Structures are given as structure tokens and as C-alpha cells.
Amino acid sequence: MTLPRLVASDLDGTLLRSDGTVSERTRAALRAVEDAGVEVVLVTARPPRWLDPLADCVGGHGRVVCLGGAAVWDLAEGAAIEVHGFADDELRALVADVRAAVPGVALALERVSGPVFDPWFPPDETGLPPAVRAVAVEESLDDVAHPAGTVGKLLAVVPGRGLSTRVGDVQRGHRTDAAQDEFFAAVRTAVGDRAHLAFSGAAGLAELLPAGVTKDRALARWCARLGIAAADVWAFGDMPNDLPMLRWAGRGIAVANAHPDVLGCADLVTDGNDDDGVASVLERALAGR
């Protein structure tokens, strides 16, 4: 098995175990492929504030494609080197339209400079300063220090429900319920083609990205900078928001615990995230050189 020039991996449900950790086996496999000259890039829906513990997983370059492709974050500098955020008028209109379409909805803005949450947003986000939750998100839109262009994601939560998990643990049996389906349909109708509605795994959470922002486009820009063709990329994922990236890459690889749609389109299915599926593929490739 010939090694690729670049390995791209989703985090939650793919590279990370269910407890949110990276196993020593996986860390060792990532180091080994980098020592063999392969670039490792993490491509995640996570915001920058959830990336610091993963700095040793991205080798010397220290950069992560985050917010579902809306930003590239430099871990060493603690700053964005690329942002594809919302336009000001566009974001204001989306907030207003989602509010109107889903009465009681809880919203949040994920900015590269830090988040803003409605005060009634479900309390899954622990450890945030009280001021972060002090105002409705609309009141933050006039903050000239944090313009709309720094907002990579608008989050919306089903009214009256908390999130099933803080990150990434979708209904692994892939059950849905009427309330969530109705909620997603209402949000999709309200935003139309003005934003990309993504589902990265937290039940009850709709994630809106700027139109045209997807993981595959962000990864393609990264690879273009490095002079790497799609055919020389292996991409790992588990959720529907990973599908464009897996289809774009020369080899799209799903972990065994992936969503059925991902399993159905993958070129290869490896072991689950709790069984170090990414590491398993990389180890076999290194052994077969």
C-alpha cells in the first residue's frame, strides 16, 4: 500500500475516542507517517477554543482546518491565518429569520476570537465566562472588534431541549425523532441557500456555515498551497459533514462507527474510533512500503 502525500482526518467520532482523547497508538501512527514525509491535517467542525490539547497531532506546521472549513487556525500563534466568515448583513438576516422560523430557538456564534451564546443556550458549554452568556447574540453584532467576518458558524438548538452531548456523539444507532426532523426542516427552509446547513454529530444542534464553506473546499485550498493533488490525499471521517471531503480525496475512509451514508460512500471502512481505526490504516500502509 503506497503512502499518500497528505492524511486528513476529522476529529470527533473519527480520530478521537468516545471520551475525547487521542490514544497513544494513534499519536504514534501520526508521528510515524509524518516522519515518512506525509503531511497530517486535522479537518474538524470544532472551534479554535477546543484545539489546544491536539497540538502534538499536527506535527511541525501546527495548523488545523476548523469550524467546518470556515477557518485555518495556527495553534502555535493562537490566531487564524485564514477565515471565510459571514458577511455582516447576511448574518443579521440569518439570525432574524431563524428566530422567526423557530420560536424559542437558542443561538450561538462561533467566532475565531471566541463564542457568543444566548443566555438560554443549553448549559453543555462548561467553563465559559458568565459574560459570554449575558446577551442575545443580536446584541453582539455591533461589536466592531469582532465583525461578522470573524464568525465561522451560527449554531441553533432545538427549543426546549439540551444537546445530547457536548461534541460529536451523534445517535450512533442513527435514530432520529420528529422534533429534530421538524426543527431541521424549519431551519433549512428559513435559510435557503444563504448558508450551508451541516450536521457534525450533536443531536438537536443545527450548524450553519457561510454558503460555500465545506471541509472539502478548505482542504482543497490547503492542498493547493502545498502542490498536492486530490489523488494523493487520504481522508478519514464519520459524519455526513465529512462526505464532501471523503468524496474529494483520492481515498475516502470511514471508521466502522460512521453514519450509514458515510459507510455507503467510503472507499474503505476501517475499525471504529474506539479501536484506533485511523491508526490501523496508517500502520498497515507503513508496514507495506
Side-chain angles (χ1 to χ4, degrees):
M1 185 183 296
T2 304
L3 283 169
R5 292 187 61 193
L6 185 143
V7 167
S9 181
D10 170 57
L11 288 176
D12 296 286
T14 302
L15 191 76
L16 305 186
R17 291 187 167 182
S18 295
D19 63 1
T21 64
V22 183
S23 72
E24 285 305 314
R25 178 187 177 189
T26 294
R27 291 181 190 275
L30 294 177
R31 287 193 297 268
V33 294
E34 288 191 321
D35 288 345
V38 178
E39 178 101 353
V40 174
V41 178
L42 305 181
V43 186
T44 177
R46 284 188 174 206
R49 58 197 170 87
W50 286 350
L51 298 178
D52 285 347
L54 302 164
D56 64 339
C57 293
V58 288
H61 63 75
R63 292 168 182 169
V64 177
V65 177
C66 61
L67 288 171
V72 178
W73 188 255
D74 188 314
L75 284 163
E77 297 295 327
I81 60 173
E82 181 179 309
V83 184
H84 297 269
F86 288 98
D88 184 77
D89 290 347
E90 178 181 78
L91 183 58
R92 291 176 186 274
L94 287 170
V95 168
D97 290 347
V98 173
R99 291 269 196 228
V102 188
V105 69
L107 300 178
L109 305 179
E110 283 287 5
R111 308 173 302 192
V112 293
S113 56
V116 177
F117 291 88
D118 281 339
W120 56 94
F121 200 87
D124 298 67
E125 297 287 339
T126 58
L128 293 174
V132 171
R133 310 175 69 88
V135 298
V137 298
E138 290 88 339
E139 297 183 40
S140 72
L141 297 179
D142 293 321
D143 186 348
V144 295
H146 303 284
T150 68
V151 177
K153 192 182 292 188
L154 169 62
L155 307 178
V157 175
V158 175
R161 282 181 50 174
L163 304 182
S164 67
T165 178
R166 195 163 73 97
V167 287
D169 185 23
V170 74
Q171 315 109 313
R172 292 300 174 190
H174 312 297
R175 294 174 292 119
T176 60
D177 61 65
Q180 178 164 302
D181 290 344
E182 183 179 349
F183 170 62
F184 269 75
V187 172
R188 186 176 290 108
T189 299
V191 305
D193 60 3
R194 295 175 296 160
H196 173 63
L197 178 58
F199 180 44
S200 63
L205 177 69
E207 304 179 50
L208 296 171
L209 285 74
V213 169
T214 55
K215 288 185 174 183
D216 63 309
R217 294 188 182 189
L219 182 59
R221 286 193 300 269
W222 180 278
C223 289
R225 289 182 178 183
L226 301 176
I228 296 175
D232 296 319
V233 176
W234 290 0
F236 294 82
D238 71 315
M239 290 302 300
N241 70 328
D242 296 319
L243 280 171
M245 178 174 74
L246 269 60
R247 290 174 176 143
W248 175 83
R251 175 169 289 187
I253 304 167
V255 286
N257 52 285
H259 188 282
D261 291 349
V262 178
L263 294 171
C265 92
D267 299 312
L268 175 70
V269 177
T270 184
D271 298 329
N273 64 318
D274 286 327
D275 295 315
D276 301 315
V278 174
S280 177
V281 172
L282 299 181
E283 289 164 353
R284 290 199 304 271
L286 287 164
R289 284 187 299 166

